[in-house]
C-alpha cells in the first residue's frame, strides 16, 4: 500500500507597497496545489480598477517580467491571452488564459486554458483559476485577488510552489502600484 503525506502550509502575511498601502496576503500550499489570496484598499474609481484587471494593454503593463504577452481573441466581456515566461535562462512556460468580465459584479474571472513547459522536470500547471473582485467601501475601493493552482508532482514541486508564492506577492505588489499610478482618485480611458 502506498502512503502519501500531505504537506500543507498556510502563510498569512502583510506586504507594504511602495506607496505605503498594506496588502493582506494568504498563501496556502499542499503537496501539489497552492492558492493565493490578497487584498488591499485604494482611493480609486472601481471602474478604473476593473479595467486594469481586464484590458489587455493594462495586463501587459502589469506583467512586465513576461517575455511575451499576446491577445489571441476577445469580445466585449472576455478575452484569451497567451503569456510566455522565461526563468533561469533555460526554462520557458507558455500558458493561455480565458478572462471574463462581469461589470455588474465588478469582477474578472480567469481560467487556465492550456500550459506548456519546455522542460519536463519542471512541474506543469494542471489547472488554475481565480478572480479579481472590486468592492466599494465608502471613499475607498477594495481589490481582492485570488488564484488556485494544481501542478504535477515532481521532485521539485514543493520548491516550485514556494517560488510561486514569491511570484504572487511580487505580482500583487506591482498591481497595487500600477493601480495607484493609474486609478488613484481618477478614471482612465481604456
Amino acid at each position: 500500500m502506498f502512503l502519501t503525506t500531505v504537506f500543507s502550509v498556510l502563510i498569512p502575511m502583510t506586504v507594504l507597497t511602495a506607496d505605503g498601502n498594506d496588502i493582506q496576503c494568504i498563501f496556502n500550499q499542499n503537496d501539489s496545489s497552492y492558492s493565493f489570496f490578497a487584498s488591499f484598499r485604494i482611493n480609486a474609481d472601481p471602474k478604473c480598477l476593473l479595467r486594469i484587471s481586464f484590458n489587455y494593454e493594462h495586463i501587459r503593463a502589469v506583467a512586465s517580467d513576461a517575455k511575451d504577452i499576446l491577445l489571441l481573441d476577445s469580445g466585449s466581456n472576455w478575452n484569451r491571452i497567451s503569456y510566455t515566461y522565461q526563468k533561469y535562462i533555460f526554462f520557458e512556460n507558455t500558458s493561455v488564459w480565458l478572462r471574463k468580465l462581469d461589470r455588474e459584479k465588478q469582477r474578472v474571472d480567469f481560467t487556465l486554458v492550456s500550459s506548456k513547459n519546455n522542460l519536463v522536470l519542471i512541474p506543469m500547471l494542471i489547472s488554475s483559476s481565480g478572480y479579481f473582485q472590486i468592492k466599494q467601501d465608502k471613499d475607498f475601493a477594495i481589490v481582492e485577488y485570488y488564484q488556485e493552482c494544481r501542478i504535477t508532482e515532481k521532485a521539485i514541486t514543493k520548491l516550485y510552489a514556494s517560488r510561486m508564492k514569491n511570484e504572487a506577492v511580487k505580482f500583487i505588489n506591482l498591481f497595487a502600484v500600477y493601480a495607484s499610478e493609474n486609478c488613484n482618485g481618477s478614471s482612465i480611458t481604456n
Side-chain angles (χ1 to χ4, degrees), residues 33-175:
S33 66
Y34 60 91
S35 63
F36 179 74
F37 175 82
S39 67
F40 64 91
R41 290 170 44 114
I42 183 170
N43 181 10
D45 178 2
K47 291 177 184 175
C48 177
L49 295 167
L50 199 60
R51 283 190 293 271
I52 68 169
S53 301
F54 177 73
N55 289 13
Y56 170 69
E57 295 80 17
H58 299 296
I59 292 166
R60 282 188 61 167
V62 174
S64 59
D65 61 339
K67 178 181 172 184
D68 198 17
I69 302 173
L70 301 171
L71 178 62
L72 301 176
D73 203 2
S74 66
S76 64
N77 67 340
W78 64 275
N79 58 39
R80 276 188 320 122
I81 297 176
S82 170
Y83 298 80
T84 300
Y85 286 92
Q86 186 173 10
K87 300 288 183 183
Y88 313 114
I89 301 172
F90 56 87
F91 169 62
E92 190 169 283
N93 170 270
T94 300
S95 58
V96 176
W97 297 82
L98 175 64
R99 304 168 67 83
K100 294 182 180 178
L101 171 66
D102 186 331
R103 287 181 183 87
E104 187 175 307
K105 292 182 181 177
Q106 295 191 86
R107 182 174 163 124
V108 175
D109 291 292
F110 53 88
T111 305
L112 178 70
V113 175
S114 66
S115 179
K116 184 177 179 180
N117 292 347
N118 67 335
L119 298 174
V120 294
L121 70 108
I122 303 295
M124 183 77 155
L125 273 173
I126 298 170
S127 64
S128 183
S129 61
Y131 62 82
F132 285 91
Q133 177 76 54
I134 314 300
K135 298 178 178 178
Q136 188 70 45
D137 182 27
K138 297 179 185 167
D139 293 337
F140 289 89
I142 298 172
V143 177
E144 293 180 348
Y145 174 83
Y146 176 77
Q147 183 175 9
E148 59 186 16
C149 298
R150 266 188 50 228
I151 54 179
T152 56
E153 291 191 41
K154 303 280 185 179
I156 62 168
T157 296
K158 290 178 187 173
L159 178 65
Y160 180 82
S162 178
R163 171 78 175 163
M164 292 301 97
K165 176 191 74 146
N166 295 335
E167 293 291 326
V169 170
K170 178 181 170 185
F171 166 76
I172 200 64
N173 192 16
L174 287 171
F175 184 87

Side-chain angles (χ1 to χ4, degrees), residues 1-7 30-32 153 158:
M1 179 178 235
F2 181 78
L3 286 175
T4 303
T5 55
V6 176
F7 173 73
N30 293 316
D31 282 341
S32 61
E153 291 191 41
K158 290 178 187 173

